Amino acid sequence: MRSCSTPAMMRSAQLALLALAPSVVSAITTGFPYGSTTVRGVNLGGWLVLEPWITPSIFDNTGDSRVVDEYTYGQFVARATATSVLNNHWNTFITEQDFIAIKNAGLNHVRLPIGYWAWDVSGGEPYVQGQLPFLAKAITWAQNQGLKIVLDLHGAPGSQNGFDNSGQKGTPRWQTSQSNIDRTNAIIKKIALQYASQSSVIPIIATLNEPAGFFSQQLLDVTRQYWYDSYGNVRFPFGNSTQGNTVLMIHDAFQPLSYWNGFMGTSTGRQGVAIDTHIYQMFSNALVAMNNSQHISNACNNAGELSAFNDLWKIVGEWTTAATDCAKYLNGRGTGARYDGTLSGSPRVGSCTGLTGSTSTFSSAYKTFLRQMFEAQTITFERNANGWIYWTWKTEITDEWSYQKGLAGGWIPSNPGTRQFPTICG
Ligand SMILES: *[C@@H]1O[C@H](CO)[C@@H](O)[C@H](O)[C@H]1NC(C)=O
Ligand SMILES: *[C@@H]1O[C@H](CO)[C@@H](O)[C@H](O)[C@H]1NC(C)=O
């Protein structure tokens, strides 16, 4: 048995500890000055992960009502057709022109959702692959424009939330098998190492979108452990004690931010971690029943929860100007809306006409309201958090959700800091 028994040995042990300390506490050189410069960005939703409401035509064109997500798209559409439609979509839905327009809109980040199946399909999973060359293009386009990418794993094996936007709609099963979790960690390890030297263009990796912490304690427990594993995988990408420069972004798993106090902040000896929270105002009967002034107050009232949490960099990684669930297929392909009472269990609030679809059907009063929603939220998220990433840049037919259409229609300013309603939140 060895022990530190002499003063010299004790001193050398103390020196060894001191020698370790600087590598733990030395500041990391992040690819974006999180915490001192405000994140302003857009999501590239519906591109490398299909969502029925973002591109309903891709789903309607199947003529098959069983196709409700990317998994069933691969399962029920003839492989040659699926491959050709998806490749055409990846080639055309987002191009370098979009990155140029995003840059010109005064934004500094794009969040790029991608599913695990881009790297790994096994066990007969029917996904069509071929996304990775488009990820590579996106990185080049972002670099060309000086935009930063949040690389966002939006779907994990088995689905972490059962939402169609995880790839597979239904019951979350990611957390039920160690193999699912191991496959997810393996992808994160791979991409963290692959992009470790490119943290100037991919400064931050979001290792799992929206794990459904509300579904079960077990899912929440698995998520907590997964975030710890992600910390190792992303912050120490070389598999040794050398720290990388890539920031880890965890998601709040639908828990209040206060739940994550003391989980991964500097008090735990960690650094380089951000938390993502998503703020929507249409996914309950009570929310869609609010009138416009209640929606604005609700937006401003996020200040309380956001400002109270200071343990990690905090980014509102999804939010929108839309205030209803009227967008076709927003609640799933073939599913109606709470707002007009076509979703079962939802009392009708009113007609969706004029609240969703083409800008040409929007009244000037509605466009003013959308502008107020934009300003109330950006003001709140910039004052009380480290910034925001809008959901989403482009949609086929639902302009109230589209940043691009908001710019064209005037309810999103061409410089995101321009205010028509600077005192809207007091
Ligand atoms: C860790 O691995 C990286 C990449 O191989 C290497 O550059 C670095 O020196 C290693 N660090 C230590 C402490 O061994
Ligand atoms: C919105 O609803 C609140 C609460 O019911 C009410 O006090 C307010 O007058 C309503 N505002 C408008 C513009 O209808």
Side-chain angles (χ1 to χ4, degrees):
M1 182 189 290
R2 298 187 301 169
S3 64
C4 291
S5 51
T6 70
M9 286 167 80
M10 286 172 70
R11 178 158 166 70
S12 94
Q14 283 165 357
L15 284 174
L17 277 175
L18 283 173
L20 273 177
S23 71
V24 176
V25 299
S26 66
I28 64 170
T29 310
T30 57
F32 182 83
Y34 296 106
S36 56
T37 300
T38 301
V39 171
R40 289 169 166 173
V42 282
N43 282 275
L44 300 179
W47 185 35
L48 302 183
V49 176
L50 289 185
E51 296 200 29
W53 76 270
I54 297 178
T55 56
S57 73
I58 291 180
F59 289 81
D60 290 344
N61 288 345
T62 65
D64 184 337
S65 61
R66 296 172 301 173
V67 178
V68 296
D69 53 25
E70 193 157 334
Y71 187 100
T72 46
Y73 194 86
Q75 187 175 13
F76 297 123
V77 176
R79 177 83 359 178
T81 307
T83 302
S84 128
V85 170
L86 283 172
N87 273 280
N88 179 59
H89 170 67
W90 296 330
N91 250 314
T92 55
F93 190 66
I94 298 290
T95 68
E96 187 161 24
Q97 287 311 310
D98 292 290
F99 282 72
I100 293 168
I102 290 165
K103 178 66 178 182
N104 288 342
L107 302 174
N108 51 34
H109 277 69
V110 294
R111 179 167 174 263
L112 181 48
I114 187 164
Y116 79 91
W117 56 92
W119 290 274
D120 168 11
V121 292
S122 65
E125 291 165 346
Y127 289 110
V128 174
Q129 291 190 299
Q131 297 85 354
L132 294 183
F134 296 93
L135 171 58
K137 285 179 203 267
I139 293 168
T140 302
W141 298 336
Q143 200 150 29
N144 290 347
Q145 299 309 316
L147 289 165
K148 309 295 179 182
I149 291 179
V150 181
L151 188 55
D152 157 42
L153 192 73
H154 220 67
S159 178
Q160 73 279 16
N161 52 34
F163 303 157
D164 58 12
N165 55 59
S166 71
Q168 199 172 8
K169 187 177 177 175
T171 302
R173 287 183 295 99
W174 169 69
Q175 77 286 357
T176 62
S177 112
Q178 191 59 43
S179 151
N180 288 341
I181 299 159
D182 292 346
R183 290 172 71 193
T184 318
N185 277 321
I187 290 165
I188 298 302
K189 270 196 183 42
K190 182 186 169 85
I191 63 183
L193 178 60
Q194 182 176 354
Y195 300 120
S197 64
Q198 288 176 273
S199 61
S200 63
V201 60
I202 306 182
I204 182 164
I205 296 178
T207 60
L208 191 57
N209 179 62
E210 297 190 346
F214 55 80
F215 178 77
S216 68
Q217 185 62 42
Q218 195 233 348
L219 198 156
L220 187 56
D221 290 342
V222 167
T223 299
R224 291 172 63 97
Q225 182 56 48
Y226 179 75
W227 296 150
Y228 287 136
D229 293 343
S230 291
Y231 185 81
N233 293 338
V234 172
R235 298 286 304 108
F236 297 86
F238 310 109
N240 60 23
S241 63
T242 297
Q243 183 174 240
N245 288 321
T246 309
V247 171
L248 167 66
M249 179 179 256
I250 66 172
H251 180 266
D252 66 13
F254 302 98
Q255 305 304 300
L257 289 179
S258 58
Y259 173 87
W260 300 101
N261 259 319
F263 178 71
M264 263 195 183
T266 49
S267 69
T268 71
R270 295 182 181 84
Q271 61 174 338
V273 184
I275 194 162
D276 179 15
T277 190
H278 296 171
I279 297 181
Y280 287 114
Q281 293 198 34
M282 71 290 290
F283 294 118
S284 76
N285 291 344
L287 285 166
V288 294
M290 288 182 172
N291 65 32
N292 287 357
S293 56
Q294 288 173 308
H295 279 298
I296 300 296
S297 304
N298 202 36
C300 299
N301 287 342
N302 287 304
E305 182 179 356
L306 290 171
S307 64
F309 181 84
N310 288 296
D311 220 31
L312 302 170
W313 292 315
K314 44 196 171 176
I315 295 168
V316 181
E318 294 188 18
W319 63 282
T320 177
T321 50
T324 73
D325 63 343
C326 288
K328 180 183 173 183
Y329 298 166
L330 183 67
N331 298 311
R333 182 170 184 221
T335 304
R338 293 173 185 81
Y339 191 84
D340 66 2
T342 54
L343 182 71
S344 80
S346 296
R348 178 183 167 91
V349 176
S351 166
C352 281
T353 303
L355 300 178
T356 188
S358 164
T359 304
S360 63
T361 67
F362 295 172
S363 68
S364 63
Y366 183 48
K367 287 189 267 191
T368 299
F369 168 65
L370 293 174
R371 175 70 178 238
Q372 290 172 332
M373 285 292 278
F374 183 88
E375 295 196 23
Q377 291 181 91
T378 52
I379 286 170
T380 301
F381 305 157
E382 294 187 7
R383 277 187 197 155
N384 303 288
N386 302 111
W388 48 265
I389 307 177
Y390 184 89
W391 191 276
T392 184
W393 172 246
K394 186 182 279 192
T395 60
E396 260 180 6
I397 58 167
T398 50
D399 294 1
E400 74 278 16
W401 284 82
S402 162
Y403 203 99
Q404 195 186 37
K405 290 293 166 60
L407 290 168
W411 65 86
I412 294 181
S414 55
N415 173 339
T418 303
R419 310 283 183 220
Q420 285 177 358
F421 305 97
T423 61
I424 193 160
C425 288

